[in-house]
Amino acid sequence: MPDMMSDTILSDFERRELVAQMTAEQDLREHLQSGSRTVYSGFDPTADSLHIGSLVPLLSLRRFQLAGHKPLVLVGGATGLIGDPSFKSEERQLNSADLVATWVERIKVQTSRFVDFDCGGSAAEVVNNLDWTAGVGVLDFLRDVGKHFAVNSMIQKESVKQRIEREGEGISFTEFSYMVLQSYDFAQLYKKYGCTMQIGGSDQWGNITGGIDLTRRMHQAQVFGLTLPLVTKSDGTKFGKTESGTVWLDADKTSPYAFYQFWMNASDADVYRFLRYFTFLSVDEIIEIESADASSQGRRSAQGILAKQVTALVHGESGVEAASRISEALFAGDLAGLSQAELEQLALDGLPCTQIQAGSKPLVELLVDTGLALTPRGEVTVGQARKFIQSNAVSVNGQKISDDQALLDPSSAYFGRYHLIRRGKKLFHLLQWP
RNA sequence: GGAGGGGUUCCCGAGUGGUCAAAGGGAUCAGACUGUAAAUCUGACGCGUAAGCUUCGGUGGUUCAAAUCCACCUCCCUCCA
């Protein structure tokens, strides 16, 4: 039964290297072992979708649920209006209340696929902190909640220190009060749901401990916190970005194919750690994969497993199928062997695709139209298109093109309709003639 | 308030009248090698096919010619009060 498993949840987190910090370790261990607990993690609406940075806490909630605890997904309808200053180097622009409200709805839907809402006592719930903050009067808030916070200790928090100390930056009262709001969430969730644990990224440590203190003061209760590590890459670059930007969880913003490819491209030095962070494979299975890879020649199997697992979690089995179908065709298969139906399927599966007017068109222009002629500084220019062609980076339907004067017309297309342009090693674009 | 130093292309950082679209490094992108990995090597790296055009905090000036000289403005740093 789930409760039997809960004594291993913390050690599983440890083996996965998923623990950055935790409060009162002994007490927490005992607390989790002695019953089904309610655990929450918050997600602020700062865009119309979450990105893969939110995946670690989201999956961690699921891990707790699998261990028999009840997850609460908190969507920050209130905190999203304020803006978390933690480790942010500058004050951020406020978003309108209407906009944040629409984002809240989308993020509610998005987070919902990661936890189970129908499993009895440990069924998940989605909550919105706007529900318990919107109606609170300023004076009541200042008297009942604010009184428990010492500004002296708030300004000591590492998360806001640089903003306070660094010249020319500063922090508004609005952002400074963020911590109070998030702390109030924890206290409220304790009261309403008996929630006794909060998890979050390691940047949330200050906010989480704030909530623990407030809950003790307001409700004389001991609650706990655990932070998850910041996901890093071995080469020091920022995790979660690709040439074309942020990797979103929303299929309309990052296609399942692009999402799948992101994980396929994980470096060997990172991939086993990512398997621990982002999949539900047991640590033993992961170790097995690692040792099998180590003793075999050629490509590691880990990237493929990672891509399939994570894509399945975020986009479902159909997403995995579509993404791996495209990937197979483009990277392993024989382009000329694709049937017309398969080519059409590629477009449906999320391979970037552009409709072309009848007639013929210079390849250079097509590279610009499709956005493939992207310069290192993020612009699309004709000159860059030429450079790519001249440096042997462009192929059409599997043929390298080195003539920057080349024209394309339907006569050379597959089935008179399709050109598959490849720029560089990994970027593909499908052209469709009428 | 006084004294001095400084703002250069994505970042760091050279450059003090023409040979400067601007050294070098980093980042980024491409090519080669590989395994859609890493490392390494090669190339590109303001825009333009080119002629040429637009850049060196801002504005105005000196000059055949300025990132480089002058004036004013602005922002930053250090030291002294």
Side-chain angles (χ1 to χ4, degrees), chain A residues 113 248-251 254-256 259 310-319:
Chain A
R113 71 171 302 128
W248 300 97
L249 300 186
D250 185 333
T254 298
S255 72
F259 187 86
V310 188
T311 307
L313 288 170
V314 176
H315 297 295
E317 279 310 319
S318 62

Side-chain angles (χ1 to χ4, degrees), chain A residues 340 343 397 409-419 431-434:
Chain A
Q340 182 157 9
L343 282 165
N397 285 1
D409 63 64
S411 70
S412 65
Y414 290 141
F415 307 103
R417 280 205 69 190
Y418 300 98
H419 275 125
L431 295 180
Q432 260 182 318
W433 298 87

Side-chain angles (χ1 to χ4, degrees), chain A residues 199-389:
Chain A
I199 60 177
S202 57
D203 58 335
Q204 292 300 306
W205 182 251
N207 293 334
I208 292 174
T209 53
I212 291 172
D213 289 343
L214 182 64
T215 308
R216 184 177 342 101
R217 295 199 170 115
M218 289 181 80
H219 307 298
Q220 294 74 49
Q222 185 186 20
V223 292
F224 303 89
L226 180 151
T227 60
L228 305 157
L230 192 69
V231 181
T232 56
K233 292 206 292 173
S234 57
D235 62 8
T237 59
K238 196 168 159 54
F239 170 78
K241 296 274 186 203
T242 67
E243 196 190 339
S244 41
T246 304
V247 181
W248 300 97
L249 300 186
D250 185 333
D252 292 331
K253 290 168 77 82
T254 298
S255 72
Y257 163 69
F259 187 86
Y260 183 92
Q261 282 295 320
F262 171 80
W263 299 103
M264 278 304 274
N265 283 305
S267 77
D268 290 0
D270 296 324
V271 70
Y272 305 100
R273 194 161 40 92
F274 289 176
L275 282 170
R276 286 165 211 251
Y277 288 172
F278 295 103
T279 73
F280 289 99
L281 297 176
S282 72
V283 174
D284 289 335
E285 286 174 281
I286 294 166
I287 290 171
E288 225 168 274
I289 294 167
E290 186 164 6
S291 60
D293 276 345
S295 60
S296 77
Q297 298 289 328
R299 203 202 205 295
R300 308 299 179 94
S301 65
Q303 281 87 348
I305 295 169
L306 178 69
K308 283 200 167 64
Q309 291 283 328
V310 188
T311 307
L313 288 170
V314 176
H315 297 295
E317 279 310 319
S318 62
V320 175
E321 273 170 40
S324 56
R325 195 155 51 217
I326 301 181
S327 301
E328 278 294 307
L330 298 183
F331 291 99
D334 160 30
L335 295 182
L338 290 168
S339 71
Q340 182 157 9
E342 285 171 324
L343 282 165
E344 259 157 46
Q345 186 61 44
L346 292 186
L348 293 175
D349 284 348
L351 182 69
C353 178
T354 304
Q355 311 282 334
I356 306 295
Q357 308 288 324
S360 66
K361 232 180 171 192
L363 180 57
V364 170
E365 266 179 54
L366 290 166
L367 288 173
V368 172
D369 293 348
T370 54
L372 289 173
L374 193 69
T375 63
R377 51 195 345 238
E379 291 167 303
V380 175
T381 68
V382 178
Q384 183 68 6
R386 282 205 181 80
K387 274 171 195 148
F388 279 134
I389 295 173

